[in-house]
Amino acid sequence: MYTLTNVKAYYDSPRGPIKAVDDVSLEIRPNEILGIAGESGCGKSTLIKVIYGHINPPLRLVSGEIRAEMKDNGQVSVLSAKDLPKVWWEFISYVPQASMSVLNPVMRIENQFFDAVSRFHRAGNREQIRQQVADYLQELDLPVEVLKAYPHQLSGGMRQRVLVALATFLHPQIILADEPTTALDVVVQRGILRMLTRVQQTMGNTLIIVSHDMGVHYQITHRMAIMYAGQLVEVGPTERIFSAAQHPYTEMLIKSLPRIGDHSAREGISGRPPSLLDPPPGCPFAPRCPHAMDICTQARPPLVQIEDDHLSACFLHEEAMAAAHAQKVGAQS
Ligand code: SF4
């Protein structure tokens, strides 16, 4: 289990803090595929950095708690944000979106595996590691010949597959994938998604996938967290998100999805997400929301449970209205 509780992580800037993750609470469960969705600029990639424990200036953990339970040989250790970099690769691993910027261009793939494994893991000798890597690539249906290649000699899709193999080689309990299919053609995308889900099913670990593409979430995730302006606005089972979205923003994201056989014009979402430097008071979606009411510009709607395992932050729900009222009364007394 991994939990974030009221986490705020801001980028320091000369114009003030950029509130990329602003009071996020989220439970990450074992053996699930969790999707984080939302438009560009809503804080998804920063949230992934925070979950990974990659919090370096100008990014700063302002407040809140990060708590991860790592199981190792039957023992459970409790980790905080500062402990996470020590357990990268073994406990938590990251598949970034730009494979070329991550893989060392002047190092053969084989040496990149060796480098990563020996730096972060109780490694055996080089020949043992080489054999283990070759076996693992075969398990993933990747040609062993890639080990002798330099990154530029591989296609974008193959480089991305190599990154998935590299990130999962040590069987981490949590795998983070940030837009892993961006800039790849549809067939390659499908292959990468299939590879990620296969790895997750085989290892029984947690896969967290960030994508602005709702179609990706529909295909592979079990649960989804919808992010807007650095905040979570809806969290729930993927099936319920698509069949009974509770937040107007989620509804609009789903309506903008193309459907096979439906040739009617898709509804885009007018306007843009607010600046994270100066988000509007109250509900950050209010300037774009067709249902906005007076209260929406005055108070921030809390994330409340609407149905079993399904949370939403919108004043259209009586539960959110009641929680906001209780908060106000509490603050006044
Ligand atoms: Fe729209 Fe108000 Fe709900 Fe925000 S709280 S999504 S502005 S109805």
Side-chain angles (χ1 to χ4, degrees):
M1 179 76 88
Y2 186 129
T3 49
L4 304 173
T5 309
N6 302 118
V7 168
K8 294 185 179 184
Y10 298 169
Y11 291 96
D12 288 322
S13 87
R15 291 166 59 209
I18 297 170
K19 299 173 179 171
V21 173
D22 198 15
D23 203 5
V24 166
S25 296
L26 180 65
E27 182 185 276
I28 297 163
R29 302 170 185 167
N31 198 5
E32 73 166 351
I33 304 181
L34 173 68
I36 300 177
E39 293 162 285
S40 298
C42 283
K44 305 185 300 295
S45 293
T46 307
L47 179 58
I48 280 286
K49 276 190 189 176
V50 168
I51 295 171
Y52 191 44
H54 195 250
I55 308 171
N56 294 326
L59 181 62
R60 174 169 63 88
L61 189 61
V62 176
S63 59
E65 191 195 30
I66 294 174
R67 187 180 192 278
E69 288 177 8
M70 178 172 105
K71 290 194 190 119
D72 190 15
N73 286 327
Q75 304 276 327
V76 177
S77 329
V78 175
L79 310 172
S80 65
K82 69 175 174 13
D83 301 318
L84 290 169
K86 295 175 214 152
V87 291
W88 284 350
W89 301 82
E90 284 184 279
F91 171 66
I92 190 163
S93 214
Y94 176 62
V95 181
Q97 54 177 290
S99 54
M100 219 36 201
S101 65
V102 182
L103 293 169
N104 186 334
V106 293
M107 205 187 246
R108 290 184 198 274
I109 299 297
E110 177 180 70
N111 291 336
Q112 312 218 18
F113 268 92
F114 186 76
D115 197 43
V117 173
S118 53
R119 197 155 12 125
F120 291 98
H121 188 60
R122 32 193 188 262
N125 68 40
R126 198 178 175 96
E127 191 40 45
Q128 281 171 334
I129 293 175
R130 212 200 83 80
Q131 192 52 52
Q132 286 168 6
V133 172
D135 292 346
Y136 187 56
L137 291 186
Q138 278 177 334
E139 254 177 60
L140 297 178
D141 296 329
L142 292 182
V144 174
E145 293 73 45
V146 298
L147 289 175
K148 293 287 174 213
Y150 290 96
H152 71 271
Q153 295 174 310
L154 305 176
S155 67
M158 186 55 79
R159 277 199 302 271
Q160 199 64 10
R161 283 165 199 264
V162 165
L163 273 186
V164 172
L166 189 58
T168 58
F169 176 60
L170 295 178
H171 291 218
Q173 286 168 38
I174 300 174
I175 304 164
L176 307 168
D178 188 3
E179 302 275 8
T181 57
T182 297
L184 300 174
D185 69 53
V186 179
V187 176
V188 179
Q189 272 186 19
R190 206 175 305 136
I192 300 284
L193 293 179
R194 209 178 293 134
M195 183 177 179
L196 281 166
T197 46
R198 196 172 129 198
V199 167
Q200 190 275 330
Q201 280 165 6
T202 310
M203 295 185 187
N205 52 15
T206 300
L207 169 63
I208 303 176
I209 186 160
V210 161
S211 179
H212 63 277
D213 183 343
M214 293 293 276
V216 167
H217 295 289
Y218 183 75
Q219 286 177 62
I220 70 164
T221 64
H222 303 137
R223 270 197 321 140
M224 290 180 69
I226 313 291
M227 202 162 181
Y228 189 77
Q231 301 169 17
L232 294 184
V233 295
E234 185 160 359
V235 182
T238 303
E239 181 276 319
R240 293 302 291 161
I241 295 274
F242 278 88
S243 63
Q246 296 291 322
H247 195 280
Y249 179 56
T250 314
E251 273 179 17
M252 291 168 99
L253 284 177
I254 292 170
K255 279 190 185 150
S256 64
L257 251 185
R259 279 166 224 267
I260 294 171
D262 179 355
H263 301 295
S264 59
R266 295 287 96 208
E267 287 176 42
I269 310 179
S270 60
R272 307 179 55 168
S275 159
L276 298 175
L277 194 57
D278 186 23
C283 173
F285 191 55
R288 303 169 80 187
C289 180
H291 310 287
M293 306 166 275
D294 285 349
I295 187 174
C296 304
T297 55
Q298 293 155 13
R300 177 171 159 178
L303 193 63
V304 292
Q305 180 149 332
I306 304 302
E307 58 179 9
D308 193 25
D309 204 26
H310 194 168
L311 309 164
S312 172
C314 174
F315 285 126
L316 292 175
H317 312 303
E318 282 171 20
E319 296 86 342
M321 201 66 108
H325 181 69
Q327 254 175 19
K328 195 172 166 189
V329 170
Q332 284 169 350
S333 58

